Amino acid sequence: FMTKEYPNAMTHNINPVMWISLQNYKPKPISKHFNILFATTFKVFNSGFWIYDNSFNFLNIVKRLSQAISNLENVNLTIRVRYNFELDKKTLLNYLSNFKNIHLSNNSLNVDLNNSDLIVTGSSTIIEEALNFRKPVAITSNTSYQHIQDSNNFDIRKSTYNLDMNNLEMNLKKIINHHKNKNLSDSD
């Protein structure tokens, strides 16, 4: 459009703007452990409630993920959260104290993405970041909003899934089976 309408204008082809650089991407070594990163944003005062979770929904998702992952062998969950006055680190640690293989992240997003086999998130820019890092994404929410449509089939390997909280453990097992020690490819 620009070159046609404004033939003397200078244009540049650019790639999408990402918060982190692919120069930091390192393929994860083969491991017996499957590492899941839960990184999402919840909104305070229930703002943006059609798309984003609030702090109560966030805690519900964390609890259900933690319960499911505690039942799975060789699966770890790392949680990245932006703390605020509705949820602080001490509260979250107390909330998670009864679950095994659950950790709170102290790393940069680059490190967490490199160490993960699957990213679980809500409506967040981490979806695009993870896909750039060749990591599959499971999108979950307590709202009726679906960021990506037609991602409910867990019987095939693909890049994105809408994670059903009602069959969480079974669906996580299927995703793990599809992606353990296998990064995404161009065909995914």
Side-chain angles (χ1 to χ4, degrees), residues 81-109:
V81 62
R82 292 183 192 156
Y83 301 104
N84 58 46
F85 64 90
E86 285 190 1
L87 179 66
D88 61 18
K89 187 174 184 176
K90 182 179 176 184
T91 302
L92 188 56
L93 282 170
N94 185 45
Y95 196 75
L96 298 171
S97 62
N98 294 328
F99 302 110
K100 64 179 189 169
N101 301 329
I102 314 297
H103 315 279
L104 298 181
S105 174
N106 293 318
N107 297 321
S108 70
L109 182 55

Side-chain angles (χ1 to χ4, degrees), residues 4-146:
K4 182 178 176 186
E5 295 293 319
Y6 305 98
N8 295 329
M10 294 183 72
T11 61
H12 298 281
N13 291 330
I14 60 171
N15 292 322
V17 176
M18 291 292 143
W19 293 109
I20 56 176
S21 171
L22 284 178
Q23 295 172 346
N24 297 319
Y25 169 72
K26 297 177 182 100
K28 187 174 172 285
I30 292 176
S31 170
K32 74 174 190 169
H33 293 280
F34 192 87
N35 298 317
I36 298 174
L37 173 63
F38 179 59
T40 193
T41 302
F42 65 89
K43 301 299 182 190
V44 295
F45 298 129
N46 205 27
S47 61
F49 62 90
W50 286 111
I51 297 174
Y52 299 103
D53 289 312
N54 61 34
S55 56
F56 297 105
N57 292 341
F58 172 83
L59 282 174
N60 183 44
I61 292 169
V62 165
K63 180 180 178 184
R64 295 186 68 185
L65 271 173
S66 299
Q67 287 171 331
I69 288 168
S70 289
N71 293 329
L72 300 174
E73 198 171 317
N74 296 320
V75 178
N76 299 312
L77 174 65
T78 300
I79 301 171
R80 282 188 66 84
V81 62
R82 292 183 192 156
Y83 301 104
N84 58 46
F85 64 90
E86 285 190 1
L87 179 66
D88 61 18
K89 187 174 184 176
K90 182 179 176 184
T91 302
L92 188 56
L93 282 170
N94 185 45
Y95 196 75
L96 298 171
S97 62
N98 294 328
F99 302 110
K100 64 179 189 169
N101 301 329
I102 314 297
H103 315 279
L104 298 181
S105 174
N106 293 318
N107 297 321
S108 70
L109 182 55
N110 286 333
V111 170
D112 283 341
L113 282 172
N114 277 321
N115 291 336
S116 298
D117 298 295
L118 171 68
I119 312 306
V120 176
T121 188
S123 180
S124 173
T125 56
I126 192 86
I127 296 167
E128 291 83 5
E129 305 284 357
L131 293 173
N132 271 340
F133 265 60
R134 303 252 186 238
K135 306 293 180 168
V137 179
I139 302 166
T140 185
S141 177
N142 280 319
T143 70
S144 60
Y145 174 79
Q146 284 190 341

Side-chain angles (χ1 to χ4, degrees), residues 157-174:
R157 177 184 159 93
K158 54 191 178 169
S159 58
T160 59
Y161 303 86
N162 283 326
L163 199 55
D164 182 356
M165 298 305 283
N166 294 320
N167 299 310
L168 188 58
E169 191 173 330
M170 179 184 69
N171 291 337
L172 283 173
K173 284 179 184 179
K174 289 179 180 182

